[in-house]
Every structure is written in C-alpha cells, then in structure tokens.
Amino acid sequence: MTGWLAIAGLGPGGDGLVTPEVRTALDAASDVVGYIPYVRRVAPRPGLVLHESDNRVEMDRARHALGMAAAGRRVVVVSSGDPGVFAMASAVFEAVEAGPAGWRDLDIRVLPGITAMLAAAARTGAPLGHDFCAINLSDNLKPWALVARRVALAAEGDFAMAFYNPRSRARPEGFGRVLDLLRGLCEPERVVIFARAVTTPDEAIRVVPLAEAREDMADMRTVVLVGSSATRIVAREGGPWVYTPRSVPA
Amino acid sequence: MTGWLAIAGLGPGGDGLVTPEVRTALDAASDVVGYIPYVRRVAPRPGLVLHESDNRVEMDRARHALGMAAAGRRVVVVSSGDPGVFAMASAVFEAVEAGPAGWRDLDIRVLPGITAMLAAAARTGAPLGHDFCAINLSDNLKPWALVARRVALAAEGDFAMAFYNPRSRARPEGFGRVLDLLRGLCEPERVVIFARAVTTPDEAIRVVPLAEAREDMADMRTVVLVGSSATRIVAREGGPWVYTPRSVPA
C-alpha cells in the first residue's frame, strides 16, 4: 500500500465552503490528524482513525502524520481555513526538511481552503478589494517588535490589513497595543471589521470606526480587517456594505 | 419573483476547487454575468442566460447585473479565484453606492473562492505560511509610484508577497521594474515562484532565485510569489518544496 499525506483546509466552518477536492481526500483517508476542534468537523466512519491533538503541538503533529504516511497510511492533516495561511502546511514542510531523507519522496499535497479573512471580507462586501496584508498578531512565534514594525509599514503603505489571532488568553494585551499603534497612524474614521466565527452558527460581524475599536471586541475566534484610507461604507438596513475601490486616482 | 445577486468566485480553474456554495448558486441562477473566459466555465442549461462581456468593463457589467437583480432575476456575477481579491466584488459595491437607492435593499451575497495566490502557494508548499502582502501590479487602476512604494515597504517589512496581474500586453514593462526594485532591496537568493494557470491543464510552476527572475517568466495568467528572507527551499526530485517558517526567532 502506498501512503500519502494531504494537508487540507476545511474553510472557516460552513459545509458549503469545503471544496470537493478536500471532501475527496477525506473520503479516501485512513487517518485524520489535527487540532481537536478541526478534527471534530470530520464525520466518523468505519476504517477512519481520528487523531486529535492539542494546540501548540504543531511539530509533533506534523511528524506523526509524516510517519504514518511513510508507513503506508492515507493521512489528511486538517486545518481550519487554508492550510497555507498561519496553519499546518508550514509545520509539515519544516518537519520534512528536518526529518529522514525518505520523507522528501512522500506523496504530499496541499489542498487549499477558504481562509478566514476572505470569508470575513465576503460577509461584509469587499474590504480587501485592493492591495492588502495578512499579519498574524500572535507573538508566540515572533517577537512583538516585528509585529509592530509590520503593522506600521502596512499602515504607511496604506494597505488594507487582515489580522489573524488578534487575541488569546495567553497574550490578551497585544491587540490593544496594535489598536493604539494604528490610532497614531490612521484617521479616526478608518474602518475596522470584527468578524467572529464566520459561517458558523456563532457568526457575529461588527463594523466600527478605528476610534471606537476596542480590544475586547476580538477573541480567539475573530479575524480583524482594517480598511485602507480609501475604504468606503455603504449604509443600508441590516448593517453596512464595506468595500475598497479597485482604483486609486493618480 | 424576488431577484438576488451572488458575486461568486470560481477558484483558479479546477472543478475540485469550486465550493458547493458556488455550485448551488449557479444551479439556482437565471443569469450568469462575467468576463468571457469565466462565463465559459459555467455549463449552459435551459433557462440559464449567459452574459459574456469583455475585460475592463467591470462597472458596466456590475450595473447590468444589479439592474437584472432589481428586475427580479437570479443573477450570479462570476470571477476567477475569489471575487473579493482584485475582482468583481468591489466593482459591484461601487455601483451600488453610486446607483439608485433601491439597489441597497437588494439581496446581495459574496461567495468566496480559492484565490490564485493560495492555489499557487499550495502547489509549491507553504511560501505564504507567515505574514504576507497581496499587491496588484496593474497600473491601469493606480499610479505606478504607488505600486513601487507598496512593493518597497513590503520588502522593508520582510513580508512574503503575492503579485497579481504582473504583466499584460498593455503594460509589459511594469513587472521588470518591480524585479529591478526588489533586486535593490533583497538578497539575490530570495525565492521567486512563477505560477501560471494553476489547477488548469496549462499549469506551469517555476521556482528561481531573484537573481535569475526575468519579466518574461510571467504572463497574464501568472501569479508571482516572492518569499520573505526566512523562506526555505526543500530540494527533492520533481521540483522543490518552498515554505516560510511559522516562527521568527527573537
């Protein structure tokens, strides 16, 4: 039996956003590996072994999955969103690079998914319709100074921004510092979108000007979008549309 | 009959990347509107009217779609990739803002898709696995100075980068200027990925160091990814894996 490894994105939560390619891989798998809440999105069936692991053990999980594929299993590593955006794909290739030479010959595929920022953008209009940056605010994996530097340069370039992992129990204060930094660099009307648990039953969207944005508007399930200076609000019943125009006048 | 408008992303090309949500909208539509090659990806059927339009008429197309939805039709505007990333969603909301007040009450939904940079990243590993920027290199819609400024700031912040629309018949020289700019700011070994027509029969992927990147390696169907200074190459038979590590040491 020839093993393989698929690193698959389950999208933000809704079944309608899981690609057919990912469904096919899950249907063919012998093993599914991932962080507990993501593995629980996969329906159990006879012959499928579900391996749940805790957060922050990405490298152990990657090696486990690679070892099973090398032993002939058909393994799917599941991530929320897209596996290549602040998720498991980087961890798997880091493990490949550091691991046995034979792992480089494994059949490995990355199956993209709908990442949270694009699902959140879709819910509110087109806030990322022009140039934008995606920044992981977690300082577990990088120094705070680098987070701040990238946010400042993104603001200087007038990019729209998407912030992943704005706030967690382990580091609740970082996001407030980012908001303070932005308030020093952008006008008070700058559009900020808090998009929580998009496409799940817990979905909640909030659009506020930067002056009113507070760190407790985000939690671990929130992606935060910040418009560029050109981002527009189209008022209507039931919450505004937000879009960033495609063109910038000369 | 109540009309509606869905702005849908068809993904980069492969059928396995069209979300079930988008399929459902296409199955329920009376009209599909879009740029010729995207509308041709939708299978004709009795009762479905296909409206093909040329490139660069996005605002006309958006108004046409909104007008039909207001008249009770069930309209899908199709984009390649994700409709919110350098595609039709911004044009539609711009038309809503400038249009009759009644358009704000229409049932409009944006249905996200797999955008080219994430499909390209998946094919090569995880080059966008850490903070990154997406920049449209077309200067049809913004001044060249702004393109250059954003590329320079993204390099200064050591973001990975994804370039959309690197090169077209109308402005073949812009991408060469971006490569020259990057050569002045980044080391010669910086990883550059040319990903053409990903997930289609014409797919071609090329990974080169910045020193060897040439403007004629990109065409209108190419998305270009540039790694950060931390991006790694994992050599193997059949083309390397490329990934950007999740962590940056302090």
Side-chain angles (χ1 to χ4, degrees):
Chain A
M1 190 166 77
T2 307
W4 48 257
L5 177 62
I7 312 161
L10 297 177
D15 283 342
L17 295 181
V18 180
T19 68
E21 181 178 79
V22 168
R23 283 274 175 236
T24 300
L26 290 170
D27 289 346
S30 60
D31 298 83
V32 169
V33 178
Y35 178 41
I36 302 162
Y38 308 150
V39 173
R40 292 197 180 158
R41 288 176 53 193
V42 178
R45 61 172 165 77
L48 179 66
V49 185
L50 301 175
H51 305 264
E52 300 180 348
S53 50
D54 206 349
N55 210 350
R56 302 202 188 179
V57 293
E58 289 84 357
M59 291 308 301
D60 291 341
R61 186 189 298 145
R63 284 187 288 261
H64 179 212
L66 286 159
M68 286 195 292
R73 309 285 297 176
R74 303 177 305 281
V75 183
V76 179
V77 174
V78 290
S79 283
S80 180
D82 181 284
V85 179
F86 311 127
M88 278 302 294
S90 284
V92 170
F93 292 107
E94 192 175 333
V96 168
E97 186 178 26
W103 282 3
R104 297 187 184 206
D105 300 324
L106 286 172
D107 175 5
I108 303 178
R109 288 167 301 146
V110 181
L111 310 182
I114 304 293
T115 185
M117 67 179 167
L118 297 182
R123 275 294 195 260
T124 52
L128 303 180
H130 200 54
D131 302 334
F132 64 93
C133 298
I135 303 177
N136 187 348
L137 294 191
S138 167
D139 60 1
N140 289 332
L141 295 170
K142 63 185 165 189
W144 162 255
L146 183 61
V147 175
R149 180 172 157 74
R150 286 184 174 160
V151 170
L153 288 165
E156 187 182 342
D158 201 17
F159 286 92
M161 298 172 224
F163 297 142
Y164 283 73
N165 301 313
R167 202 147 177 270
S168 72
R169 271 185 292 259
R171 37 183 177 77
E173 74 295 345
F175 180 53
R177 291 154 79 186
V178 168
L179 288 175
D180 287 342
L181 178 61
L182 287 173
R183 278 190 272 264
L185 297 167
C186 306
E187 68 289 355
E189 301 77 21
R190 182 66 61 101
V191 182
V192 182
I193 298 166
F194 293 89
R196 180 170 190 275
V198 172
T199 78
T200 80
D202 303 323
E203 174 172 312
I205 308 276
R206 192 166 190 168
V207 180
V208 300
L210 177 58
E212 293 172 23
R214 294 193 321 270
E215 61 182 280
D216 64 3
M217 293 176 181
D219 68 6
M220 282 183 289
R221 298 180 69 191
T222 306
V223 64
V224 179
L225 308 182
V226 178
S228 77
S229 67
T231 300
R232 310 270 314 156
I233 292 269
V234 185
R236 58 159 192 149
E237 301 271 332
W241 290 121
V242 181
Y243 78 96
T244 304
R246 300 160 310 131
S247 56
V248 177
Chain B
M1 189 167 76
T2 306
W4 50 257
L5 178 61
I7 312 161
L10 297 177
D15 283 343
L17 294 181
V18 181
T19 67
E21 182 179 79
V22 168
R23 283 272 173 235
T24 300
L26 290 170
D27 288 346
S30 62
D31 299 83
V32 169
V33 178
Y35 178 41
I36 302 163
Y38 308 149
V39 172
R40 293 199 179 156
R41 288 175 54 191
V42 178
R45 61 172 165 78
L48 179 66
V49 185
L50 301 176
H51 305 264
E52 299 179 349
S53 50
D54 206 351
N55 210 350
R56 303 204 188 175
V57 293
E58 289 84 358
M59 292 308 300
D60 292 341
R61 186 188 298 146
R63 284 186 289 262
H64 179 214
L66 286 158
M68 287 195 291
R73 308 285 296 176
R74 304 177 304 282
V75 183
V76 179
V77 174
V78 287
S79 284
S80 179
D82 182 284
V85 178
F86 312 125
M88 279 300 296
S90 284
V92 170
F93 292 107
E94 191 174 334
V96 169
E97 185 177 27
W103 283 3
R104 298 187 185 207
D105 300 325
L106 286 172
D107 175 5
I108 303 177
R109 287 168 301 145
V110 181
L111 311 183
I114 303 293
T115 185
M117 67 180 166
L118 298 183
R123 274 292 196 263
T124 51
L128 304 178
H130 200 56
D131 302 336
F132 64 94
C133 297
I135 304 178
N136 188 348
L137 294 192
S138 169
D139 59 0
N140 289 332
L141 296 170
K142 63 184 164 188
W144 162 253
L146 183 60
V147 175
R149 181 173 155 74
R150 285 183 175 160
V151 170
L153 288 164
E156 187 181 340
D158 201 16
F159 285 93
M161 298 173 223
F163 298 142
Y164 283 74
N165 301 313
R167 203 150 177 267
S168 73
R169 273 184 292 259
R171 37 185 177 75
E173 73 295 346
F175 179 53
R177 291 154 79 184
V178 167
L179 288 175
D180 287 343
L181 177 61
L182 287 173
R183 277 190 272 264
L185 298 166
C186 306
E187 69 290 354
E189 301 76 21
R190 184 66 62 99
V191 182
V192 182
I193 297 166
F194 293 89
R196 180 171 190 273
V198 172
T199 79
T200 80
D202 303 323
E203 174 172 313
I205 309 277
R206 192 165 189 168
V207 180
V208 299
L210 177 58
E212 293 171 22
R214 292 194 323 269
E215 62 182 279
D216 64 2
M217 292 175 180
D219 68 7
M220 282 182 290
R221 301 179 70 191
T222 306
V223 65
V224 179
L225 307 182
V226 178
S228 77
S229 68
T231 299
R232 309 274 310 159
I233 293 268
V234 184
R236 58 159 192 149
E237 300 272 333
W241 290 121
V242 181
Y243 78 96
T244 304
R246 302 160 308 132
S247 56
V248 177

